Amino acid sequence: MNQILFRLGDWPVHISDLAIGAAGLALSLLVILTIVVARSGRRGAEFAMAQAMRADELELRLSDMMRAQSEANGRVDAMAQSLSGRQAEMARAVNERLDSVTHRVGQSMEQTTRNTMDSLRVLHERLGIIDNAHKNLTELTSQVTTLRDVLANKQSRGAFGQARMEAIVQDGLPRGAYEFQFTLSTGKRPDCVVFLPDQRPLCIDAKFPLEAMTALHDARGDDERKVAAQRLRTDVMKHVNDIAEKYLIAGETQDTALMFVPSESVYAEIHDGFDEIVQKAYRARVVLVSPSLLMLAIQVMQQILRDARMRDAADQIRTEVLNLGDDLGRLRERVLKLQKHFGDVNEDVRQILISADKIEKRAGRIEELDFSKPDTPLEPPRLVKSATSDLFPAPIKLQAGE
């Protein structure tokens, strides 16, 4: 047992020492194992406890999660219901607004359509007016062209002036107060004569110096204008001299004659630009008149003729006034008679009303069986006569009594 197995340096190692070391090693291993086992058991218990605690905690967390999930589900359901309600309200509001917008759009489109139709109708009416104006303009253009062609010819121009003069005279004077193409004692025939109260005719002759006036308007320079003005003076004075020589006859015609210029513009041009011609015509006892002045002169002549007729009929007017006075006197007498008849009728009506009152009172007494003597004396029957007149051919008898 004390056999040395080996040496560890100077220290000998015996078998007993080895056995004791092995036993101690085994014991140490056993102790260590026991300690390890104990520690591992403790650790398992602790781990089991920890696992149990973790399980409880997980269960609590799971229950909390389940509760939170249920709450979330409830909230989701509530939100879903709220969203569905809001969606329905939104859909209803959207539908209402769409209906309102559709109605407004329909009204707007209807109003727009109506306005468009009105505008189109007005446009069509205006187009019709424009068409009529175009037609009238076309007709006026043709008439102006025709008038220009008419005025280009002297004879046609003279006929035009005479036609205007005849229209003015016929509209202003009665028949018999004028005559066209009247023959004077010298054989001359003015376009028109008007018979004034002294039976001397007033001669009227139409002249139209259009060619000289046209040349004056178309003149480009001063020289051409002077030549055209001189031509106009010559033409107008020639017409004035012809009228004065032909139609002013002492003791037969009036002391003044009228030269009718059938254009207001031509007359205004002569009167404004050639005053010396007008003055020479006055001195020659020839008065230049335009259509408006001729119309005024015709109205003055008409008034003169009316005054002359009134002077001639003064005796007849006096006789008629006297007859009117006699008629007025007879009318007054007849009105007085009618007034007397009205007075008689009023008296008769008053008597009738008195009788009616008495009859009403008597009927009341009969109804009440009251036959006592009345306090007031009875009125004896009497006869009322009305005056005889033209309105009542026979007398009317009214009897009033009890």
Side-chain angles (χ1 to χ4, degrees):
M1 293 294 291
N2 292 324
Q3 185 179 0
I4 299 172
L5 294 175
F6 57 85
R7 289 181 175 274
L8 293 173
D10 292 336
W11 181 270
V13 178
H14 296 90
I15 296 173
S16 59
D17 293 333
L18 183 62
I20 292 170
L25 181 61
L27 182 59
S28 299
L29 291 173
L30 181 62
V31 171
I32 292 170
L33 181 63
T34 303
I35 292 171
V36 169
V37 170
R39 287 182 176 177
S40 63
R42 189 182 303 116
R43 289 180 179 175
E46 291 177 358
F47 181 75
M49 290 178 67
Q51 291 294 329
M53 292 177 66
R54 288 180 179 178
D56 292 338
E57 186 178 357
L58 288 174
E59 187 176 358
L60 289 175
R61 290 182 178 179
L62 183 61
S63 62
D64 292 338
M65 290 178 65
M66 293 296 292
R67 185 172 59 256
Q69 185 178 4
S70 63
E71 291 178 357
N73 290 331
R75 291 179 180 177
V76 169
D77 293 338
M79 290 178 65
Q81 292 179 359
S82 177
L83 288 175
S84 62
R86 291 183 180 180
Q87 185 177 4
E89 291 179 359
M90 185 178 294
R92 184 173 61 256
V94 169
N95 291 330
E96 290 178 355
R97 290 189 178 182
L98 284 176
D99 293 338
S100 177
V101 170
T102 304
H103 182 66
R104 290 180 181 177
V105 170
Q107 288 183 348
S108 178
M109 292 181 65
E110 184 179 357
Q111 184 68 27
T112 303
T113 304
R114 188 180 302 111
N115 294 333
T116 303
M117 294 300 293
D118 294 339
S119 300
L120 289 176
R121 185 176 64 256
V122 173
L123 181 60
H124 289 163
E125 292 177 356
R126 291 183 178 178
L127 287 176
I129 294 173
I130 291 173
D131 291 337
N132 292 330
H134 181 68
K135 292 179 181 178
N136 294 332
L137 185 60
T138 304
E139 294 177 359
L140 182 61
T141 303
S142 62
Q143 292 176 2
V144 169
T145 304
T146 305
L147 180 61
R148 183 181 62 187
D149 295 337
V150 168
L151 296 180
N153 189 357
K154 289 185 178 181
Q155 295 180 353
S156 300
R157 190 164 64 243
F160 171 75
Q162 184 174 353
R164 292 201 65 183
M165 179 192 62
E166 291 180 357
I168 295 173
V169 173
Q170 290 176 350
D171 291 338
L173 293 177
R175 290 184 177 273
Y178 61 89
E179 184 175 346
F180 300 115
Q181 301 299 325
F182 179 75
T183 303
L184 301 175
S185 61
T186 58
K188 303 299 181 181
R189 302 177 63 184
D191 293 335
C192 177
V193 294
V194 177
F195 300 104
L196 295 180
D198 58 357
Q199 295 303 318
R200 289 193 302 166
L202 174 66
C203 299
I204 305 173
D205 200 64
K207 300 296 181 182
F208 203 167
L210 182 62
E211 295 176 352
M213 187 62 65
T214 304
L216 180 62
H217 288 169
D218 296 338
R220 298 295 181 180
D222 294 337
D223 295 336
E224 294 182 2
R225 189 173 294 107
K226 289 180 180 179
V227 173
Q230 185 60 36
R231 179 182 177 184
L232 180 61
R233 293 187 182 91
T234 302
D235 291 345
V236 174
M237 287 308 302
K238 181 178 182 301
H239 294 320
V240 170
N241 294 328
D242 291 341
I243 293 174
E245 292 176 0
K246 294 179 181 178
Y247 308 132
L248 293 180
I249 303 174
E252 181 179 353
T253 62
Q254 296 291 330
D255 296 335
T256 303
L258 300 181
M259 174 180 167
F260 176 64
V261 180
S263 175
E264 295 286 350
S265 60
V266 174
Y267 174 80
E269 186 71 24
I270 295 173
H271 194 276
D272 294 338
F274 302 91
D275 185 66
E276 71 277 6
I277 297 178
V278 178
Q279 297 301 325
K280 289 181 180 179
Y282 284 162
R283 288 193 292 271
R285 295 179 298 174
V286 176
V287 180
L288 277 68
V289 293
S290 64
S292 58
L293 291 178
L294 179 61
M295 188 179 302
L296 179 61
I298 292 299
Q299 291 178 358
V300 172
M301 296 177 194
Q302 183 181 10
Q303 188 63 36
I304 292 173
L305 293 174
R306 184 182 295 111
D307 293 340
R309 288 197 300 271
M310 290 183 65
R311 287 195 301 270
D312 295 337
D315 295 336
Q316 297 180 359
I317 293 174
R318 182 175 179 277
T319 303
E320 292 296 330
V321 169
L322 294 176
N323 294 333
L324 184 62
D326 296 338
D327 293 337
L328 185 60
R330 285 191 293 270
L331 178 63
R332 185 176 183 280
E333 293 177 358
R334 291 173 182 177
V335 169
L336 292 175
K337 290 181 181 179
L338 183 61
Q339 183 180 6
K340 183 176 180 301
H341 293 321
F342 282 154
D344 296 340
V345 171
N346 289 331
E347 180 65 22
D348 294 339
V349 170
R350 189 181 69 82
Q351 296 295 333
I352 290 172
L353 291 175
I354 293 173
S355 299
D357 292 338
K358 291 181 179 181
I359 293 171
E360 184 178 0
K361 291 178 181 179
R362 187 180 296 277
R365 291 197 300 271
I366 292 174
E367 183 178 1
E368 295 176 358
L369 299 178
D370 183 10
F371 299 103
S372 63
K373 186 176 180 181
D375 296 335
T376 59
L378 297 178
E379 182 181 358
R382 61 177 180 173
L383 188 63
V384 179
K385 296 183 180 180
S386 61
T388 303
S389 64
D390 296 338
L391 297 177
F392 300 96
I396 299 177
K397 296 181 181 180
L398 296 177
Q399 184 175 3
E402 299 179 351

